[in-house]
Amino acid sequence: MAAAASPARELTQNPLQKTWEPYDNGLPAGHSAQRGVCMTNCPTLIVMVGLPARGKTYISKKLTRYLNWIGVPTKEFNVGQYRRDLVKKYKSFEFFLPDNEEGLKIRRQCALAALNDVRQYLSEENGHVAVFDATNTTRERRETIYKFGEENGYKTFFVESVCVDPEVIAANIVQVKLGSPDYVDCSNDEATEDFMKRIECYKNSYETLDETLDKDLSYIKIMDVGRSYLVNRVMDHIQSRIVYYLMNIHVTPRSIYLCRHGESELNLKGRIGGDPGLSVRGKEFAKSLAQFINEQNIKDLKVWTSQMKRTIQTAEALGVPYEQWKVLNEIDAGVCEEMTYEEIQENYPLEFALRDQDKYRYRYPKGESYEDLVQRLEPVIMELERQENVLVICHQAVMRCLLAYFLDKPAEQLPYLKCPLHTVLKLTPVAYECWCGSVERRSSEDSAQPPIAPVPGRPPVLQRKSGK
């Protein structure tokens, strides 16, 4: 006898995000997603593989930043940091010798501690992805981690970085390892010599991922920081996203310049959105921007704009080719387009209050949220990662989203990042972070302009309750 069909549940629209959700007895259904974007039906464990100085931590940090930016809760677990926390004073490469029993015991203890924290994050703290950053150079160690994933219901994906180019290895040692806490009391020559010997400690036992022996594993193998790739058994959407991202990043030195369009006619009136042209001050800024870019003498600079009039007018003043991207258009304010915030508060008081509650996830009626905008801008991030020097002339909400990605800002801070008019931000990606410097250009007649100076770790000012 067929079971009686359950009664259809009532659908109620979430007022903040304008999405439909099932309700039982006036309350949200228990299975409703509360964890943001869900791209897998079980958590994912990413396992780094490779000798020291092959860019594993660089890849781990970039991948963690990217996944968090697109809304996938991700955390990195660096086993080297666990070792530094446990062994306060690093002595020499001899700690990593394969016959150093005390060193082996400590390293195994640190790896297990990191895996325990991975389990807590993925199984108890609602994490979606954990990145296990260690050498993991033996097949035996990788098998142990794979079984750990199976026992806990995680999908395991290996990321191996193989590098044989001595120039790339040397550059990584200089940029990253010499600044490590391990070598704080050493000269550069002493640190380099010790680190090269540390690498040798791993070489004899290193077993690379093999197309035949590891044919059942899911992995990507990156050769010489992107010269070529080997991808095997991509099992789901999140692994596909990871592969796509890793195949787009590079380490070529470059700078990314971000600025908003010049002041528009609607900016003057305090109205949001629309497709107005530039004001007189906005046109002055466009001329000043052209002068500034010319002074910088930037090699092979590409210029991108949205498809809105005010960014195109700003780019026209540069006198160089530019590319229009529809995805760079300003956030869609829906029924609130071309209104002032006072008018929104008067005509849509509930919407005004909801926006204040959660500015990142709030969606304008028939419009977009910052969360929507991040998803829309993902192709721009991918292309920025592929390119070298780029100037992006965009809009306030768009610029906040791009800036949050490069400076690794959480969703809660993103809508409040300060991106004033007539200011250029210069972003310079370096080993594990992105340097940010700015210059304000008020008028083409102002000759005493401050230079752009990258300032390590300087966060943009947070600005509350202003702008889109």
Side-chain angles (χ1 to χ4, degrees):
M1 182 176 176
S6 348
R9 288 184 298 182
E10 190 179 331
L11 294 182
T12 303
Q13 191 176 53
N14 177 312
L16 184 76
Q17 297 174 288
K18 314 298 186 290
T19 53
W20 290 97
E21 298 176 353
Y23 269 58
D24 283 329
N25 299 320
L27 297 173
H31 76 276
S32 295
Q34 300 295 325
R35 294 168 62 186
V37 180
C38 185
M39 298 184 183
T40 57
N41 55 6
C42 66
T44 296
L45 172 59
I46 299 172
V47 181
M48 302 304 301
V49 178
L51 293 170
R54 266 54 179 183
K56 298 185 301 300
T57 298
Y58 169 80
I59 292 169
S60 298
K61 289 184 178 294
K62 281 193 75 88
L63 190 54
T64 299
R65 172 159 56 91
Y66 162 71
L67 292 171
N68 278 316
W69 184 76
I70 63 171
V72 181
T74 304
K75 190 173 180 180
E76 175 202 15
F77 298 84
N78 182 285
V79 176
Q81 189 57 50
Y82 282 77
R83 187 257 307 165
R84 280 185 284 272
D85 291 342
L86 187 62
V87 182
K88 302 299 181 183
K89 180 69 175 177
Y90 172 76
K91 294 178 181 178
S92 76
F93 73 94
E94 293 178 355
F95 177 85
F96 296 95
L97 287 170
D99 58 357
N100 184 334
E101 292 187 11
E102 183 186 0
L104 283 170
K105 181 181 177 182
I106 292 172
R107 286 153 57 199
R108 192 176 296 113
Q109 180 182 345
C110 292
L112 290 174
L115 286 175
N116 281 332
D117 287 348
V118 165
R119 183 192 291 113
Q120 181 173 341
Y121 177 68
L122 294 180
S123 300
E124 300 176 25
E125 298 176 10
N126 288 338
H128 283 192
V129 178
V131 183
F132 186 72
D133 180 15
T135 52
N136 301 314
T137 47
T138 66
R139 195 158 279 110
E140 180 185 5
R141 169 60 65 87
R142 295 195 291 270
E143 180 64 24
T144 299
I145 298 170
Y146 185 82
K147 286 180 178 176
F148 165 84
E150 275 193 322
E151 290 167 2
N152 288 280
Y154 310 148
K155 289 184 180 177
T156 303
F157 186 78
F158 294 92
V159 177
E160 181 175 16
S161 181
V162 178
C163 188
V164 295
D165 186 334
E167 290 186 6
V168 175
I169 297 169
N172 191 40
I173 291 172
V174 170
Q175 286 183 24
V176 179
K177 302 305 179 185
L178 296 189
S180 164
D182 290 345
Y183 299 114
V184 69
D185 296 322
C186 299
S187 69
N188 283 358
D189 289 343
E190 290 171 334
T192 301
E193 181 183 0
D194 183 88
F195 197 81
M196 293 303 290
K197 289 179 180 177
R198 188 195 295 193
I199 295 173
E200 291 299 318
C201 293
Y202 288 91
K203 278 191 174 179
N204 288 337
S205 61
Y206 180 24
E207 298 170 297
T208 186
L209 287 165
D210 184 88
E211 287 183 76
T212 302
L213 296 175
D214 299 305
K215 66 181 187 301
D216 295 329
L217 299 181
S218 299
Y219 65 84
I220 178 172
K221 195 170 180 176
I222 306 167
M223 273 69 81
D224 283 327
V225 203
R227 178 178 53 82
S228 60
Y229 306 88
L230 175 64
V231 180
N232 190 65
R233 286 179 63 85
V234 173
M235 301 298 289
D236 60 21
H237 178 68
I238 195 68
Q239 292 182 11
S240 176
R241 295 279 283 263
I242 290 166
V243 167
Y244 180 44
Y245 178 73
L246 293 178
M247 291 179 72
N248 279 282
I249 63 176
H250 66 83
V251 293
T252 306
R254 44 56 180 276
S255 290
I256 296 161
Y257 299 82
L258 301 178
C259 75
R260 292 170 63 187
H261 53 80
E263 180 187 70
S264 73
E265 295 291 350
L266 287 185
N267 287 144
L268 279 174
K269 300 173 182 176
R271 297 185 178 277
I272 65 173
D275 193 15
L278 296 180
S279 68
V280 173
R281 282 186 73 241
K283 291 174 182 176
E284 282 187 356
F285 167 72
K287 293 176 186 176
S288 191
L289 178 64
Q291 177 191 337
F292 168 71
I293 292 298
N294 187 54
E295 289 168 358
Q296 299 301 299
N297 194 26
I298 305 161
K299 182 183 177 183
D300 299 327
L301 179 69
K302 294 189 176 181
V303 179
W304 298 349
T305 74
S306 72
Q307 290 188 353
M308 294 186 142
K309 186 177 181 181
R310 51 198 184 272
T311 64
I312 296 169
Q313 283 184 318
T314 304
E316 277 288 320
L318 302 180
V320 299
Y322 57 90
E323 184 178 347
Q324 296 180 24
W325 289 60
K326 186 174 183 180
V327 291
L328 284 172
N329 284 2
E330 180 60 302
I331 191 170
D332 185 352
V335 299
C336 299
E337 283 282 312
E338 299 193 29
M339 296 177 70
T340 66
Y341 286 107
E342 290 76 14
E343 289 171 345
I344 296 172
Q345 187 173 16
E346 181 180 345
N347 292 287
Y348 303 102
L350 177 59
E351 295 297 329
F352 192 83
L354 287 170
R355 181 174 173 272
D356 248 7
Q357 286 179 23
D358 188 343
K359 194 174 176 182
Y360 179 75
R361 292 172 183 82
Y362 168 77
R363 180 177 286 129
Y364 284 100
K366 300 184 180 179
E368 291 179 299
S369 65
Y370 273 95
E371 189 173 35
D372 297 330
L373 190 53
V374 162
Q375 301 302 317
R376 165 153 62 94
L377 287 169
E378 188 182 4
V380 176
I381 289 298
M382 288 294 182
E383 197 59 26
L384 283 173
E385 287 289 3
R386 290 174 57 87
Q387 297 293 333
E388 294 183 16
N389 297 315
V390 182
L391 165 64
V392 184
I393 304 172
C394 53
H395 307 266
Q396 180 168 248
V398 170
M399 189 167 164
R400 283 170 171 164
C401 293
L402 299 179
L403 197 58
Y405 167 78
F406 285 105
L407 297 185
D408 197 15
K409 298 298 175 184
E412 293 70 27
Q413 290 185 18
L414 184 154
Y416 302 103
L417 295 177
K418 189 177 180 182
C419 299
L421 282 170
H422 303 175
T423 301
V424 181
L425 294 184
K426 178 181 178 180
L427 302 173
T428 307
V430 291
Y432 294 160
E433 59 183 343
C434 190
W435 292 357
C436 177
S438 66
V439 61
E440 185 176 1
R441 308 283 290 198
R442 288 192 175 85
S443 165
S444 58
E445 298 170 1
D446 185 357
S447 59
Q449 299 292 349
I452 287 185
V455 183
R458 193 200 78 174
V461 178
L462 295 184
Q463 184 180 26
R464 298 278 171 180
K465 299 184 182 178
S466 67
K468 278 189 142 184

